[in-house]
Amino acid sequence: MLAVQPLVSFAGAVAIAAALADVFLTLFHPTVTGPIGSAIQRTAWRLAHSLGRGRPAALALAAPAAVLLTIATWATLLLVGWALVYWPYLPDGFHVQAGVELGSTFVTAVYVSGVTLSTLGFGEITPASGWLRLLIPLESLLGFALLTASLSWLISIYPALHRRRQFARRLAAGLFVDATPGGPFTRLSPAGAA
């Protein structure tokens, strides 16, 4: 494993960088969307369109599903990325509380990463070397930042969805057009107008 250590850690760093770049581009850049989030959103729309023919509710679920899947993908990339960074240094790079079995398996690395990313920090496994002591708090801060940014994104999307829903209902009710009886706008349901 010694010869592979730098490659495994490098792969983890690439996963972390990809997740962070996508989060930044999707949430904080005014005109660009991250490639990961864009791919997930396009795929969700295509699936909803092909699977939901004749069912407007399927299309209505595409956007919320895409947002949640994008956030889950970011979290998974960060979790696996940090696990790949820690994995080559298990168990020697960490102190383990008495009575806790620690192996050098990838599952253990995912556990350490998950506990750190979620900011739970149980304390039975702590870093021994100095550079790992710097990375663990950095991962915790990134986990907290991801949670905060994701919640802010969801909160900022809700008013737009609410306005769209209200507009669709008014459009279906004929409040914005001179709705002649039997015209195209009077036959739309609120879900169809949306």
Side-chain angles (χ1 to χ4, degrees):
M1 182 87 168
L2 286 175
V4 186
Q5 278 181 341
L7 294 175
V8 171
S9 293
F10 180 74
V14 168
I16 294 165
L20 293 178
D22 201 74
V23 168
F24 174 77
L25 290 174
T26 301
L27 299 182
F28 301 114
H29 198 279
T31 58
V32 179
T33 303
I36 297 169
S38 292
I40 291 170
Q41 291 163 13
R42 275 192 311 274
T43 303
W45 279 111
R46 286 181 184 143
L47 278 173
H49 187 318
S50 65
L51 297 175
R53 294 178 194 254
R55 288 176 271 175
L59 287 175
L61 291 176
V67 168
L68 293 176
L69 193 57
T70 301
I71 294 169
T73 302
W74 292 336
T76 302
L77 276 172
L78 287 175
L79 178 80
V80 171
W82 285 108
L84 288 171
V85 169
Y86 302 145
W87 186 27
Y89 304 98
L90 283 169
D92 299 333
F94 291 85
H95 294 295
V96 181
Q97 201 174 49
V100 175
E101 284 290 322
L102 181 65
S104 62
T105 66
F106 184 68
V107 174
T108 304
V110 169
Y111 170 74
V112 171
S113 177
V115 167
T116 305
L117 188 66
S118 64
T119 67
L120 292 175
F122 292 138
E124 78 272 14
I125 302 172
T126 57
S129 61
W131 71 273
L132 284 171
R133 288 176 183 238
L134 294 175
L135 287 182
I136 294 283
L138 178 63
E139 183 185 5
S140 291
L141 287 172
L142 289 176
F144 186 70
L146 178 66
L147 175 67
T148 304
S150 298
L151 289 175
S152 297
W153 190 28
L154 291 173
I155 290 170
S156 70
I157 288 174
Y158 180 77
L161 292 175
H162 181 70
R163 283 191 305 272
R164 185 190 71 131
R165 190 177 308 120
Q166 292 301 321
F167 178 75
R169 287 183 180 142
R170 288 182 182 152
L171 182 64
L175 297 177
F176 290 120
V177 294
D178 184 17
T180 58
F185 292 110
T186 58
R187 288 181 277 158
L188 286 176
S189 69

